[in-house]
Amino acid sequence: FRMLSLGAFIFATSFASISVRALTGPEGEKADATTPSPTIAVADFSGQDKELGRFLADTLLTDLAQSDRLHLVERSEIRQALTELKLQSTGLVEPQQVKKIGKMLGADRLIVGSYLVRDNQLIVNARLLDVRTGKVTQGDAANVTGLREGVLPLVHRLAHLFHKRVTGSDFV
């Protein structure tokens, strides 16, 4: 594994080809577009470089903020709640922890994930957790893979997948 520089991602000019496992529910069901706007929080992504994990989460949140169909929790609120609960955002895996953080933040869903850099490839895995149960439900997970220089298109694709899953529609 190679250590990556965040600068290499930000200043990269080539775009990655993207392979995606789409988000679909049981029997191919989609989210109902008539439901109220859910509130979503995004935790730092775990991986070798904490700065990259924060960057992935911030970029995903920024992309999702383009939608008028979602309410989002600011990252500073997440950090404050995690501090109060004495948790780390990359360690939110226990259902009880997810329930507590969701209740504190007033969030309906929490996005958690990880990334792996191998040679020239970046793999990002993400899960959309239901804060009522603290668990991921069928179809609420995705991964995107591409060249490490193409981090922005990868995260954009992930945002589109989660937006469609939660709202039933693409970004406008």
Side-chain angles (χ1 to χ4, degrees):
F1 301 127
R2 294 182 184 166
M3 290 292 291
L4 295 176
S5 160
L6 183 57
F9 286 117
I10 295 172
F11 296 110
T13 57
S14 65
F15 289 94
S17 66
I18 300 172
S19 65
V20 178
R21 189 181 75 215
L23 293 161
T24 55
E27 309 300 319
E29 71 186 36
K30 294 181 183 175
D32 182 0
T34 62
T35 57
S37 298
T39 300
I40 297 177
V42 182
D44 290 347
F45 282 60
S46 62
Q48 189 174 12
D49 180 354
K50 288 184 182 190
E51 186 177 341
L52 177 57
R54 283 189 299 271
F55 178 75
L56 292 169
D58 283 339
T59 304
L60 182 57
L61 183 70
T62 300
D63 281 0
L64 292 172
Q66 303 304 309
S67 173
D68 61 357
R69 304 207 43 212
L70 299 173
H71 297 287
L72 299 160
V73 177
E74 270 303 318
R75 307 259 307 124
S76 60
E77 294 177 55
I78 297 168
R79 281 190 289 275
Q80 181 179 352
L82 290 168
T83 300
E84 288 178 31
L85 294 172
K86 296 182 172 91
L87 298 172
Q88 294 181 355
S89 67
T90 57
L92 288 171
V93 291
E94 295 297 323
Q96 286 305 106
Q97 294 173 336
V98 173
K99 289 179 189 180
K100 281 182 186 178
I101 196 80
K103 186 175 181 178
M104 258 184 115
L105 297 171
D108 301 304
R109 303 282 188 96
L110 175 66
I111 297 175
V112 298
S114 62
Y115 68 91
L116 174 68
V117 177
R118 180 166 289 185
D119 298 321
N120 200 28
Q121 292 290 307
L122 174 64
I123 303 163
V124 180
N125 295 298
R127 295 167 307 287
L128 187 62
L129 304 177
D130 182 332
V131 300
R132 291 171 298 167
T133 64
K135 298 179 180 177
V136 66
T137 56
Q138 183 177 358
D140 285 349
N143 62 44
V144 290
T145 303
L147 297 176
R148 67 182 185 177
E149 293 86 12
V151 68
L152 294 176
L154 291 176
V155 176
H156 296 325
R157 181 68 180 140
L158 194 58
H160 282 270
L161 289 169
F162 279 127
H163 186 275
K164 186 162 188 158
R165 177 63 179 168
V166 172
T167 68
S169 66
D170 286 322
F171 282 123
V172 185

